[in-house]
Structures are given as structure tokens and as C-alpha cells.
Amino acid sequence: MGCRNLGNNQFWMYRKDRRIMGLLYVFDVDGLSPGSNVILVWIDHKSDRQFFDYNTKTQQLIHRRSGLCVDRHVTSRDVIIERCDEYRSQQRWTFQYTYSDRPL
């Protein structure tokens, strides 16, 4: 997943274990309710908050435990989780390649 092709700090991989990983960190959330922040942490193999499903049709990342979608807040531009709305452009994420280097 990239944001305007800005470089490695915007390179994210959707792994086959359903985690989203950058160079060192994975996505996690600091809460399970709408508006909770997506945060970057080390992989915690005991945590159930680091897993996301990807809907290829709607291009949404759905936090597995909360059922909420990864969203970019319009004003603050923070990455949060919100109620899923397939028409909301701030909830669309694209991945160029999967772990097997094949297009999704």
C-alpha cells in the first residue's frame, strides 16, 4: 500500500497472516470502537488486535476483532477505524502485490 508514491515510509505489505507490516512495525489499534487510532507496534504473537481482512471488491481493510474499517480522518489525516462504508473514499486501500508478488 502506498500513499502518493512517497517512498519507503509509505510502503506497507498485507501479509498472508493478515497483518499489515511496514519495514519494522505492524498495524494495531488502541481501541475497538469507532474513532480508535491505528497504531504501529512490534508484532505481538499473543495479540488478536493486529489482524485485518482485505475486501478486494470494496478495497477496504476490516479490523478482524472490531469489524470496523481502516479509515483516514478527513481533517486530521490520522489513520483510524470507523464503521464500514463502501462509498467512503477514505476507506479504500490498494495493494500492488501480495506476499507472492502477484497482483491481487
Side-chain angles (χ1 to χ4, degrees), residues 2 4-5 20 31 33 44 54 59 67 81 84 94 97 104:
R4 298 183 303 273
N5 298 318
I20 300 165
S33 58
D44 178 353
Y54 184 65
Q59 298 180 311
I81 52 174
C84 296
T94 57
Y97 298 101
L104 283 173

Side-chain angles (χ1 to χ4, degrees), residues 4 27 39 47 55 63 70 74 76 88 91 98:
R4 298 183 303 273
F27 278 23
I39 58 175
S47 174
N55 183 322
H63 183 251
V70 175
V74 178
S76 69
R88 189 168 160 73
Q91 291 184 1
T98 65

